[in-house]
Amino acid sequence: MKILVLNSGSSSIKFKFFEMQKNRVLASGLIEKIGEEKGNIRIDFGESIEESVEKSLYIPDHKAGFDLMEQTLRTLKIIDDFNTLDGVGHRVVHGGESFNIPVVIDEEVKREVEMLIPLAPLHNPANLLGINIAMKLASNVKQVAVFDTAFHQSMPQHAYLYALPYELYEQENIRRYGFHGTSHHFVAKATALFLKRPLNQLNLITLHLGNGASAAAIQKGKSIDTSMGMTPLEGLM
């Protein structure tokens, strides 16, 4: 089974191409500076991702970026056609209260992601653009959305509500959502594996430390609190 995982940003496309049976990455890449005078593409590939190809050129839009990705992967003989994939996974930043698990993408899912744009105006439009382009390029392939906020949908009400008039939550969706959920969930599962204990028997604090940073409290495998709120601006402090 071969899976392409995409993170479509406002001016970039990050991707990894997995061969699931052998649990290995066939290729990993970044297309950046889309729409600028000179863009860039870098793809790492090979048995241990030790080989790479990189070039600079004008990349007018995301469609051109996806075409460039496919052409380069074909040239490297990594893939023949996007339609030969078994699946495409999309990282979507904001799922609001609508999504608490990954979902197969259909028109209803796309409409919901679009409706959530006011909650993530920098990210959801780019995520949705990547979804639309990928669904055209790989029209026969099942595509799945994985949401950064989904893992934190298990937080109890006292953790996600702010000390504000309740109608602001009801009418404007103002609440704590939390982010980096895919990372916190992965770290929790990896910790359980390392400790050789079932995740549903552990209480954990997980940390996502990078350009953005957050902490989460995880009780028996479920997120019960996190340091990020309605936006990522609520940080570790």
Side-chain angles (χ1 to χ4, degrees), residues 156-197:
Q157 192 177 67
H158 72 261
Y160 70 71
L161 282 182
Y162 290 115
L164 295 170
Y166 191 70
E167 57 264 27
L168 291 176
Y169 164 63
E170 292 181 301
Q171 298 170 16
E172 305 296 337
N173 301 309
I174 294 176
R175 55 157 284 177
R176 181 184 302 278
Y177 289 100
F179 298 91
H180 299 148
T182 53
S183 176
H184 287 293
H185 194 196
F186 173 81
V187 169
K189 290 189 292 184
T191 300
L193 188 65
F194 181 81
L195 295 175
K196 298 179 180 178
R197 292 178 59 189

Side-chain angles (χ1 to χ4, degrees), residues 5-231:
V5 176
L6 297 169
N7 181 357
S8 179
S10 57
S11 62
S12 67
I13 303 167
K14 298 176 184 176
F15 65 91
K16 280 193 177 182
F17 185 33
F18 294 90
E19 186 177 33
M20 302 306 294
Q21 290 95 329
K22 296 183 179 179
N23 196 27
R24 69 187 182 111
V25 178
L26 297 175
S28 174
L30 169 65
I31 301 166
E32 58 183 343
K33 299 182 180 178
I34 296 172
E36 297 186 20
E37 186 176 337
K38 184 169 284 190
N40 187 68
I41 178 172
R42 177 188 172 95
I43 295 180
D44 298 310
F45 62 100
E47 283 299 319
S48 302
I49 312 295
E50 74 279 0
E51 301 178 69
S52 65
V53 58
E54 185 170 8
K55 52 187 172 182
S56 296
L57 70 166
Y58 176 55
I59 307 171
D61 52 33
H62 281 66
K63 172 64 166 59
F66 275 87
D67 288 340
L68 180 61
M69 181 206 312
E70 185 177 24
Q71 292 164 10
T72 307
L73 290 173
R74 280 206 311 263
T75 300
L76 295 171
K77 300 187 184 306
I78 295 170
I79 189 172
D80 296 324
D81 185 285
F82 276 176
N83 275 300
T84 63
L85 292 166
D86 295 290
V88 179
H90 296 266
R91 180 245 185 165
V92 180
V93 165
H94 219 302
E97 292 185 324
S98 303
F99 303 104
N100 58 12
I101 57 173
V103 294
V104 175
I105 299 170
D106 57 18
E107 291 303 315
E108 184 178 349
V109 169
K110 290 198 293 181
R111 281 194 296 271
E112 193 65 35
V113 170
E114 185 175 15
M115 288 177 62
L116 291 166
I117 284 175
L119 293 176
L122 294 179
H123 294 91
N124 271 35
N127 299 156
L128 186 58
L129 178 61
I131 288 170
N132 285 327
I133 294 172
M135 291 185 79
K136 288 180 181 178
L137 290 174
S139 57
N140 299 324
V141 179
K142 187 172 289 188
Q143 312 218 10
V144 173
V146 181
F147 300 89
D148 265 15
T149 52
F151 181 59
H152 300 301
Q153 281 297 298
S154 55
M155 287 190 296
Q157 192 177 67
H158 72 261
Y160 70 71
L161 282 182
Y162 290 115
L164 295 170
Y166 191 70
E167 57 264 27
L168 291 176
Y169 164 63
E170 292 181 301
Q171 298 170 16
E172 305 296 337
N173 301 309
I174 294 176
R175 55 157 284 177
R176 181 184 302 278
Y177 289 100
F179 298 91
H180 299 148
T182 53
S183 176
H184 287 293
H185 194 196
F186 173 81
V187 169
K189 290 189 292 184
T191 300
L193 188 65
F194 181 81
L195 295 175
K196 298 179 180 178
R197 292 178 59 189
L199 180 57
N200 62 10
Q201 294 181 11
L202 294 175
N203 294 328
L204 304 170
I205 293 175
T206 56
L207 298 172
H208 175 97
L209 302 175
N211 290 332
S214 63
I218 299 176
Q219 184 180 64
K220 298 180 179 179
K222 304 289 186 182
S223 173
I224 60 168
D225 209 346
T226 185
S227 63
M228 284 188 168
M230 181 174 176
T231 77

